[in-house]
Amino acid sequence: KTFIREGLWNSIMDEMKTGDYVFIQFGHNDESKEKTERYTTPEEYKRNLIQFISETKAKKGIPVLLTPVSRRKFDRDGKAMETHKEYSALVTEVAEKEKVLFIDLDQKSRALFQQFGPEDSKWLFLQLQPGEHPNYPEGKNDNTHFSELGARLIAQIVLQELRSIEPELAEKIIIPVKK
């Protein structure tokens, strides 16, 4: 909702060219009922996803729908918990209905967090002690936003999924060579 309201979606559409892939992944802000300025009802959320897909296709682009990446949350038995149940299901439903490329990043990210476990998964997020990082002098306890390591591992998951659902695109992704 805020992505549309702030004109960010229009800026993507303005620059998009035929054959561009558009990765569409929302949900964290949309499902936040406490923050009414950005909360999006499930119906609005689906409508927005369909709008993104339709406008991408109209410009001859290729939409790729991703479920929201999971937040770091474990139950008392150490099992990674689902944190976007309703909105991830909506993304899955829209992807099937609209017949677009789809990555279940919610499920894949939870599996990654489970591999690390409740304690070690903190390394994947902005879990910082006071004085540990200059951007967060007071420290940070954030189970939504990734550290560099977490961001890189999530990107690797997306790349791995792309290799199976869209090999043509995966072949175009280049790993830079360090000189």
Side-chain angles (χ1 to χ4, degrees):
K1 179 174 162 178
T2 55
F3 202 74
I4 295 169
R5 187 175 62 233
E6 293 172 0
L8 298 170
W9 176 251
N10 285 340
S11 68
I12 289 172
M13 288 294 98
D14 290 345
E15 292 188 32
M16 198 186 100
K17 297 175 185 66
T18 297
D20 281 354
Y21 287 81
V22 178
F23 290 76
I24 303 164
Q25 189 263 310
F26 294 99
H28 286 84
N29 293 343
D30 297 284
E31 69 184 357
S32 183
K33 290 182 180 176
E34 309 82 48
K35 299 188 178 176
T36 56
E37 73 280 1
R38 59 189 200 187
Y39 172 68
T40 309
T41 66
E43 296 77 26
E44 291 173 310
Y45 181 71
K46 282 174 56 176
R47 250 191 330 269
N48 291 342
L49 294 176
I50 292 167
Q51 174 190 335
F52 296 151
I53 291 166
S54 298
E55 291 180 11
T56 298
K57 286 179 175 180
K59 290 194 80 173
K60 297 185 176 30
I62 303 157
V64 181
L65 219 48
L66 297 89
T67 56
V69 65
S70 188
R71 290 184 170 96
R72 182 184 160 275
K73 186 176 183 181
F74 289 84
D75 66 16
R76 69 173 77 133
D77 296 323
K79 185 174 189 281
M81 296 175 65
E82 203 167 358
T83 60
H84 301 292
K85 192 171 190 166
E86 181 177 16
Y87 284 68
S88 287
L90 294 171
V91 176
T92 304
E93 177 187 324
V94 169
E96 288 172 1
K97 181 180 176 230
E98 298 294 320
K99 296 179 179 23
V100 297
L101 296 171
F102 170 72
I103 297 173
D104 190 346
L105 196 52
D106 187 3
Q107 186 273 327
K108 297 287 182 183
S109 59
R110 260 194 338 273
L112 173 69
F113 307 158
Q114 190 65 57
Q115 286 177 344
F116 274 78
E119 267 313 298
D120 289 342
S121 62
K122 290 178 182 178
W123 287 101
L124 306 177
F125 292 85
L126 293 179
Q127 298 279 325
L128 305 166
Q129 297 300 316
E132 187 178 342
H133 195 284
N135 290 352
Y136 305 97
E138 306 300 316
K140 189 86 170 160
N141 184 11
D142 184 337
N143 291 308
T144 298
H145 298 96
F146 294 107
S147 65
E148 182 178 347
L149 172 63
R152 287 179 180 276
L153 291 175
I154 293 298
Q156 287 177 4
I157 289 171
V158 172
L159 178 58
Q160 181 180 356
E161 291 299 299
L162 280 175
R163 285 187 172 125
S164 68
I165 66 168
E166 190 71 357
E168 181 181 310
L169 175 61
E171 289 173 9
K172 296 176 184 178
I173 297 171
I174 301 168
I175 298 172
V177 177
K178 293 183 181 180
K179 294 181 182 183

